[in-house]
Amino acid sequence: MQNMEKNKVKLGVMGWPIEQSLSPDLHNHWMKASDIKGRYKKLACEPENLKGFIADLKEKKYLGWNVTIPHKTATLSLLDSVDERAKVLGAVNTVKNEDGKLCGYNTDGEGFIQHLNNSATNWRRDKPVLVLGAGGAARAVIMALKDAGVPKIYLCNRTKEKADTIKRDLDISNIDVANWDEKSGIVSEVGLVVNTTSLGMDGCPPLEISLNLADSDVVVYDIVYKPLDTALIKAAKDRGLKTVDGLGMLFHQAVAAFEIWFDRKPDINDGLLDELREQFL
Ligand code: ATR
């Protein structure tokens, strides 16, 4: 019995608070479907305990864990190595314990782009993109769009200086920082609009932007998933535009983390994402 316990894979998601996390639903489902014995747990870690908490997970031989608010940046300096992407973003969302060495990764950008490629196959990679917001999520989105080769990124944030800092930090020449009140006009030039702000989330005001100037092939991507049908998504649908919601980004960053831990992809075509979406509607 003891040996069987020993062979079980230990994974989890570390955050504070953590009760709201969907990650256990995803990973426990995929582990079961892949015949991997083990458990993925919610790991509640108060910010002041982070260092000791990580040491404890290592001691307990966790294979790895996801990192969420508020630990993504602080975790970076507590690991043995961090991959290039996580370094550039200054944030880790996945840790793998490789024979006692803790390695950090960031799969948020991959989650963003995979979901876009899967659900809006024909999005216009040849046109500029409008990114709204300049927090951690915006950084991951911008890096992924850069890798996808988009010709230009318009970056609009209420606090313009934060957008300037992103442009400087990420060292991307084709970012045009624009004023927050210019966003509705910029819509006429782009093929993709991405909301990375918290506007539209339960308890926050809606994002106010006009889509009147959008071409008919514009895709509108809102990374907010609580609720799924934000005012932005509704407005885009009313205009007949293709929309992409935030739940799939969460889903695909988890796919990428699973791949880091197990060197294989989970089966993503078994309807799990649709089931989750039902719960959120
Ligand atoms: P995350 O790291 O998850 O992206 P964050 O760093 O808290 O979250 O960033 C939140 C984003 O939402 C920021 O771009 C923020 O704009 P500011 O940089 O000006 O604060 C944006 N945001 C939040 N509330 C807003 C509001 N009422 N109007 C406009 N933007 C808002």
Side-chain angles (χ1 to χ4, degrees), residues 130 132 156 179-190 192-195 199 206-215 218-220 231-239 241:
L130 170 59
L132 303 163
C156 280
N179 290 317
W180 186 236
D181 59 9
E182 288 175 287
K183 55 190 179 306
S184 300
I186 293 172
V187 166
S188 66
E189 293 181 48
V190 303
L192 174 66
V193 175
V194 188
N195 175 40
L199 293 170
L207 170 65
E208 282 173 22
I209 183 170
S210 164
L211 299 172
N212 285 343
L213 299 177
D215 284 342
V218 165
V219 173
V220 176
L232 174 64
I233 292 282
K234 281 187 197 152
K237 282 183 177 159
D238 285 349
R239 279 226 61 206
L241 303 176

Side-chain angles (χ1 to χ4, degrees), residues 63-80:
L63 170 63
W65 58 92
N66 286 123
V67 184
T68 187
I69 291 167
H71 303 312
K72 285 187 177 187
T73 301
T75 295
L76 198 93
S77 58
L78 300 171
L79 304 176
D80 297 303

Side-chain angles (χ1 to χ4, degrees), residues 133-137 157-159 162 180 196-199:
N157 192 48
R158 176 182 58 177
T159 314
K162 276 167 75 178
W180 186 236
T196 75
T197 74
S198 45
L199 293 170

Side-chain angles (χ1 to χ4, degrees), residues 144-160:
L145 288 169
K146 178 197 165 214
D147 290 348
V150 300
K152 189 195 274 197
I153 296 168
Y154 289 104
L155 182 57
C156 280
N157 192 48
R158 176 182 58 177
T159 314
K160 195 169 177 226

Side-chain angles (χ1 to χ4, degrees), residues 9-220:
V9 172
K10 292 178 190 168
L11 290 167
V13 55
M14 185 177 75
W16 186 264
I18 199 60
E19 270 323 301
Q20 77 295 345
S21 177
L22 272 186
S23 298
D25 296 345
L26 298 171
H27 287 289
N28 284 319
H29 174 93
W30 291 330
M31 280 162 71
K32 198 168 170 208
S34 313
D35 240 348
I36 297 167
K37 303 269 177 291
R39 263 217 41 230
Y40 182 108
K41 290 185 186 170
K42 289 176 186 168
L43 305 166
C45 168
E46 288 185 66
E48 53 273 29
N49 296 338
L50 184 62
K51 197 171 172 191
F53 201 94
I54 289 178
D56 191 45
L57 294 179
K58 186 173 162 179
E59 173 76 28
K60 288 181 176 150
K61 300 212 166 10
Y62 266 67
L63 170 63
W65 58 92
N66 286 123
V67 184
T68 187
I69 291 167
H71 303 312
K72 285 187 177 187
T73 301
T75 295
L76 198 93
S77 58
L78 300 171
L79 304 176
D80 297 303
S81 71
V82 173
D83 86 337
E84 239 356 88
R85 174 52 50 100
K87 250 186 231 162
V88 172
L89 295 175
V92 161
N93 81 336
T94 304
V95 175
K96 184 174 185 184
N97 180 355
E98 307 218 24
D99 301 321
K101 293 264 174 263
L102 299 181
C103 311
Y105 303 87
N106 192 309
T107 67
D108 286 335
E110 196 175 334
F112 165 81
I113 207 80
Q114 285 293 348
H115 180 45
L116 179 63
N117 289 339
N118 280 5
S119 50
T121 337
N122 296 324
W123 72 278
R124 296 288 303 267
R125 292 161 180 79
D126 58 333
K127 286 176 89 175
V129 178
L130 170 59
V131 175
L132 303 163
R139 287 176 181 243
V141 163
I142 289 167
M143 286 303 289
L145 288 169
K146 178 197 165 214
D147 290 348
V150 300
K152 189 195 274 197
I153 296 168
Y154 289 104
L155 182 57
C156 280
N157 192 48
R158 176 182 58 177
T159 314
K160 195 169 177 226
E161 295 71 37
K162 276 167 75 178
D164 289 326
T165 305
I166 289 194
K167 180 176 160 91
R168 207 175 43 240
D169 286 357
L170 299 186
D171 196 20
I172 300 177
S173 55
N174 59 352
I175 294 182
D176 264 22
V177 173
N179 290 317
W180 186 236
D181 59 9
E182 288 175 287
K183 55 190 179 306
S184 300
I186 293 172
V187 166
S188 66
E189 293 181 48
V190 303
L192 174 66
V193 175
V194 188
N195 175 40
T196 75
T197 74
S198 45
L199 293 170
M201 201 184 282
D202 282 342
C204 297
L207 170 65
E208 282 173 22
I209 183 170
S210 164
L211 299 172
N212 285 343
L213 299 177
D215 284 342
S216 59
D217 59 358
V218 165
V219 173
V220 176

